[in-house]
């Protein structure tokens, strides 16, 4: 059973991890418009969370902070409710670094954001499972 909270240790705050996710050639990406998920797996160290996430809503898309914060809250809430999909796909010594990037200049209703997140989480989980088998 996965805890439905989103504690600080599950948030990606390390500049080194963020640079490795976006700068390295080992990350993968997939989109479910208006979201893009960038992710990579790595060996998990002792005491680290199995999944660490980052949510990015560019100022280029929403000029006002209140709009960016609303979108981030929608994404965070949808992920929080469905994160078990990822936890079930990971092995014991594997960590997933995951970033959600908002691509659209328009707001979406929360149920639409949630369906896009679920779609991305399913696809990422399937990709992780196929990597285990090969």
């Amino acid at each position: 059973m996965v805890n439905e909270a989103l504690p600080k240790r599950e948030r990606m705050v390390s500049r080194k991890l963020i640079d490795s996710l976006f700068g390295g050639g080992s990350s993968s990406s997939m989109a479910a418009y208006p979201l893009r998920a960038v992710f990579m797996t790595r060996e998990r160290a002792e005491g680290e969370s199995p999944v660490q996430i980052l949510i990015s809503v560019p100022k280029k898309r929403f000029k006002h902070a209140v709009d960016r914060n609303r979108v981030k809250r929608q994404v965070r809430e949808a992920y929080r409710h469905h994160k078990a999909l990822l936890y079930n796909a990971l092995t014991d010594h594997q960590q997933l670094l995951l970033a959600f990037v908002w691509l659209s200049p328009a707001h979406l209703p929360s149920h639409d954001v949630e369906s896009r997140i679920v779609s991305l989480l399913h696809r990422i989980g399937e990709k992780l499972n196929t990597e285990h088998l090969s």
Side-chain angles (χ1 to χ4, degrees), residues 17-98:
L17 288 179
I18 295 169
D19 288 343
S20 70
L21 179 62
F22 286 103
S26 61
S27 60
S28 299
S29 171
M30 56 181 61
Y33 194 79
L35 283 165
R36 172 167 294 286
V38 181
F39 61 96
M40 69 181 277
T41 56
R42 68 182 201 125
E43 197 67 30
R44 182 166 49 147
E46 185 78 25
E48 283 187 329
S49 175
V51 179
Q52 287 191 345
I53 70 161
L54 170 79
I55 300 170
S56 173
V57 181
K59 194 172 187 177
K60 180 180 180 180
R61 305 287 181 231
F62 293 105
K63 300 297 182 199
H64 300 105
V66 66
D67 295 325
R68 291 191 301 275
N69 291 341
R70 175 178 181 245
V71 171
K72 286 190 276 190
R73 192 169 33 252
Q74 287 178 307
V75 172
R76 197 168 41 243
E77 190 68 7
Y79 168 77
R80 191 178 67 80
H81 284 295
H82 299 284
K83 68 182 182 177
L85 297 170
L86 289 180
Y87 279 75
N88 296 336
L90 291 169
T91 62
D92 292 337
H93 302 291
Q94 196 175 32
Q95 183 182 34
L96 178 70
L97 303 178
L98 173 62

